[in-house]
Amino acid sequence: MKVYNTLSGKKEEFTPIEEGKVRMYVCGPTVYNLIHIGNARPMIVFDTVRRYMEHRGYEVNYVSNFTDVDDKIIKKANEEGTDPSVISERYIAECKKDMDSLHVKPATTHPKATCEIGGMIEMIQTLIDKGHAYVAEDGTVYFKTRSFSGYGKLSHKNLDDLRSGGRSLLVSGEEQKQDPLDFVLWKPKKEGEPFWESPWCQGRPGWHIECSVMSKKYLGDEIDIHAGGEDLIFPHHENEIAQSEAANGKQFAKYWMHNGFLNIDNKKMSKSLGNFFTVRDIGEKYDLQVLRFFMLSAHYRSPLNFSAELMEAAKNGLERIITCVSNLNFLLEKAGTEKMSVEEEKLLGQAAAYEKKFDEAMDDDFNTADAISAIFELVKFANTNADENSGAAFVRALKEKITGLADICGLVVERSEEILDSEIESLIAQRQEARKEKDFKRADEIRDILAGKGIILEDTREGVKWKRA
Ligand code: AMP
Ligand code: ZN
C-alpha cells in the first residue's frame, strides 16, 4: 500500500509502527457553527482511508478532536448571551448528526480540547524545562521556534525565508515575543473569556498545543498517520511537529496526509469568505450519500470544484449502482437452483478481476476515482451476465461483491428492506380512518405512498385487501 507523505513529498510504502495496527489522528473542526461541505471533505476522505485499512485487516485507532475553545466560539457565545460551552456542545451534536448522514464512522475517540487542559499544561512545562519555550512578562508562553532544528521540514519552508516575511507574523497582543517566528502555547485571559489556572497566568491554550497533547494521550508519542486539510500544513502541523518532537524526543508522525480544497468558482470554500454551503443545505436537496460519492469521485489530494452539474452526475452515477443491486435482488427472488454452474463459476472468476482493480487503485495512495470506476465496470459486468436464467448463488455472489466494494467507500447501495406487513396494515388503517372522516385527499395520499412501495390495494366487500406488485 502506497501513501503520499507530505513530509517527503513522495509516495511511500506504508509500514505501520506496530504490525497490524494503525494509529491515526485527524484534525477536527472548530465547533461554532454548522459544518460546511469543505469541512466534510477531510471527514469523508479520511474515513474512507480508515475503512480501506480495516478492509485490509488493520486495526485502526482513529482519533479526531473537536476544538471547543476558540475566539470564534467565544464571540458567538457573547452574541447569544450564553456560555461558550453551550455553543460548542450544540455544534458538536450537530456535527455528529452530519457525520452520521455522511456515513462517517465515529472516531475511536473524539477528544475535546477543554477536557485536556491538564495535559497541555504538562507538555508546555516540559517545553519550558527543556529550553524550547519561555514565559513573557505578561504570562504568555511562547514556543522558541529557532530552538527546534527541524522546523520547516513538513511545509518545506526555510526559517530565514519565513523571517524575511516576518511582518505578517506579528500578531496584535503578541508584542512580547523574542522572535516573530515564535508562536503561542498559553495566553493570558481577557475580560469575559473562559480561563484555566496555570503556573504562568490564568488563561487558555494556543490552538496548536491541543493536537500534540491529544495525539500523545490517545495514540502515544509516535503515530502512523496525521491528517487534515492542506491549509493545516503551515503553520498548524509544522507547529505540532515542533512541540511534540521537542517535548517527546521522538518522531511524531510517520506519514502526513493532506486533502486538497473543496472550491467553489475555483476559490476555497470557507466560512470567512462566505462562499459556502453547509452539509444541511445540501441534505435538503440530495441524499447525503450523493455528496460522499461526489467527494470520492476525485483524488483526495486534487482540488475539487463544487457545482450543481457535478452533483447531478454523482447522483446519476450512484443511482446506476443502486439500480443494478435492485435488479440483482429482483433476480434473486425469482432465481432457481442454488448451486452454481461451471459457466457461472467461470464468470465469477472474471468478476474478481474488478475487485482486484479496486484494491490496486486504493493501494495507490487511495485513488478513489479509479476505485469507483472499477465498481462501475463490475456493475456493467453484472448487468450483462446476470438474468432470469442465472442461479441464486451466482446472483448473490455478484451482489455481495458490489455491495462489499461500495461499503469500503462508505456507500450503502442496497435499498432499505421492503416495507413490512405491519407497516402496510397500519397505513391501510390510517387510510380507512381518513375515508371515514371524508378526508379523501389524505386517503389518496396513503394509496400513493403504498403504490410507490409496490403495494396494490383492492377495496372489496369484506374490506381492503392488499398484495405486493
Ligand atoms: P476548521 O474548522 O476551519 O479548522 O476546518 C476543519 C477541517 O476542514 C480542517 O482539516 C480543514 O483543513 C478542513 N477544510 C476547511 N475548509 C476546507 C475546504 N474548503 N476544502 C477542504 N478542506 C477544508
Ligand atoms: Zn490539529
Side-chain angles (χ1 to χ4, degrees):
M1 197 189 303
K2 287 210 155 46
V3 176
Y4 180 89
N5 189 352
T6 308
L7 196 58
S8 63
K10 286 198 287 264
K11 278 187 204 169
E12 294 175 23
E13 190 58 38
F14 180 76
T15 41
I17 297 167
E18 198 181 332
E19 207 185 319
K21 297 199 172 161
V22 178
R23 299 175 217 155
M24 181 166 181
Y25 187 98
V26 181
C27 291
T30 305
V31 277
Y32 66 102
N33 225 326
L34 291 174
I35 58 162
H36 63 67
I37 58 176
N39 301 133
R41 191 170 188 196
M43 290 177 181
I44 293 169
V45 159
F46 298 115
D47 176 67
T48 308
V49 168
R50 171 195 191 170
R51 285 169 182 268
Y52 184 68
M53 297 256 183
E54 285 171 348
H55 160 71
R56 292 292 303 261
Y58 289 107
E59 190 186 308
V60 184
N61 189 347
Y62 190 99
V63 176
S64 190
N65 65 302
F66 286 117
T67 298
D68 64 344
V69 57
D70 167 270
D71 288 345
K72 287 172 255 159
I73 300 173
I74 295 167
K75 184 167 171 267
K76 180 112 175 177
N78 289 339
E79 280 164 15
E80 289 194 18
T82 187
D83 196 75
S85 64
V86 172
I87 302 293
S88 57
E89 286 304 320
R90 182 197 302 159
Y91 290 109
I92 286 173
E94 298 296 349
C95 178
K96 285 185 174 170
K97 280 189 215 159
D98 286 338
M99 285 169 62
D100 195 44
S101 324
L102 292 164
H103 301 170
V104 171
K105 293 209 277 189
T108 316
T109 316
H110 275 296
K112 292 187 281 190
T114 55
C115 300
E116 311 289 343
I117 304 289
M120 297 189 214
I121 290 175
E122 223 171 276
M123 190 180 274
I124 296 170
Q125 190 59 55
T126 305
L127 290 169
I128 296 172
D129 295 346
K130 289 190 165 183
H132 290 290
Y134 59 92
V135 191
E137 234 167 77
D138 65 357
T140 309
V141 186
Y142 292 102
F143 186 88
K144 205 188 262 187
T145 301
R146 283 188 194 274
S147 75
F148 179 68
S149 62
Y151 198 85
K153 64 181 173 184
L154 180 72
S155 53
H156 308 290
K157 286 183 197 289
N158 162 314
L159 277 185
D160 294 319
D161 292 348
L162 281 170
R163 180 68 187 86
S164 60
R167 209 187 282 265
S168 61
L169 296 166
L170 290 172
V171 178
S172 111
E174 297 182 9
E175 290 78 11
Q176 296 184 356
K177 1 180 176 180
Q178 293 171 358
D179 183 331
L181 292 172
D182 297 346
F183 59 89
V184 171
L185 298 172
W186 186 267
K187 56 185 162 194
K189 70 167 183 187
K190 287 201 204 117
E191 197 49 40
E193 286 189 0
F195 65 89
W196 289 264
E197 298 293 337
S198 84
W200 318 292
C201 62
Q202 292 179 326
R204 61 183 166 103
W207 170 38
H208 315 299
I209 194 75
E210 67 175 80
C211 291
S212 283
V213 167
M214 294 190 261
S215 181
K216 179 183 171 78
K217 175 164 172 187
Y218 295 99
L219 297 169
D221 288 354
E222 296 169 287
I223 69 169
D224 295 297
I225 300 174
H226 195 114
E230 67 182 5
D231 53 336
L232 300 187
I233 299 173
F234 186 85
H236 185 53
H237 287 165
E238 197 69 74
N239 291 356
E240 279 189 42
I241 293 178
Q243 297 163 155
S244 294
E245 298 193 358
N248 305 329
K250 292 184 187 138
Q251 181 177 19
F252 180 31
K254 241 179 130 176
Y255 304 91
W256 286 85
M257 296 180 70
H258 295 97
N259 64 271
F261 287 147
L262 180 74
N263 293 331
I264 189 153
D265 299 326
N266 297 310
K267 277 196 226 66
K268 181 195 169 192
M269 185 176 285
S270 76
K271 279 179 195 147
S272 52
L273 289 175
N275 60 349
F276 65 89
F277 291 110
T278 61
V279 169
R280 295 294 156 88
D281 292 335
I282 302 305
E284 278 173 19
K285 231 182 136 191
Y286 295 96
D287 174 345
L288 283 169
Q289 282 220 103
V290 175
L291 184 63
R292 184 169 181 123
F293 190 78
F294 159 75
M295 299 267 190
L296 296 180
S297 58
H299 192 276
Y300 76 91
R301 281 190 288 120
S302 312
L304 175 59
N305 212 39
F306 181 80
S307 73
E309 292 77 37
L310 288 175
M311 279 296 284
E312 281 304 313
K315 186 178 168 206
N316 294 336
L318 185 60
E319 198 57 42
R320 203 153 20 115
I321 305 173
I322 293 174
T323 306
C324 171
V325 172
S326 241
N327 289 341
L328 293 174
N329 270 336
F330 178 76
L331 290 178
L332 212 48
E333 266 177 32
K334 314 251 171 230
T337 56
E338 264 302 302
K339 217 169 150 356
M340 223 180 288
S341 70
V342 176
E343 178 62 18
E344 285 175 337
E345 265 175 30
K346 217 169 107 199
L347 282 169
L348 216 53
Q350 288 173 25
Y354 302 111
E355 287 173 308
K356 188 158 170 272
K357 214 168 163 181
F358 179 95
D359 279 359
E360 278 167 3
M362 292 297 274
D363 278 346
D364 183 15
D365 191 30
F366 309 97
N367 190 335
T368 51
D370 284 1
I372 286 174
S373 299
I375 301 182
F376 278 134
E377 286 177 53
L378 181 56
V379 161
K380 196 170 161 206
F381 181 88
N383 289 342
T384 316
N385 292 293
D387 58 29
E388 308 83 65
N389 302 317
S390 307
F394 174 66
V395 176
R396 189 172 300 114
L398 276 181
K399 184 187 107 176
E400 281 169 4
K401 281 189 195 305
I402 297 171
T403 53
L405 295 185
D407 182 56
I408 298 169
C409 299
L411 300 166
V412 178
V413 290
E414 187 162 17
R415 287 207 174 96
S416 52
E417 287 298 307
E418 280 208 58
I419 184 165
L420 298 172
D421 288 6
S422 56
E423 291 175 72
I424 299 170
E425 307 284 8
S426 152
L427 280 168
I428 289 174
Q430 286 176 42
R431 178 169 169 266
Q432 292 300 83
E433 198 56 42
R435 276 159 57 129
K436 222 162 75 195
E437 310 278 5
K438 301 217 175 323
D439 186 355
F440 296 111
K441 193 166 159 267
R442 176 69 188 144
D444 285 349
E445 233 170 60
I446 294 174
R447 176 186 278 273
D448 290 345
I449 291 172
L450 287 165
K453 295 178 186 295
I455 306 302
I456 298 162
L457 300 185
E458 214 186 320
D459 291 307
T460 70
R461 237 183 287 167
E462 293 84 44
V464 183
K465 292 207 167 132
W466 61 269
K467 62 176 185 201
R468 294 182 193 271

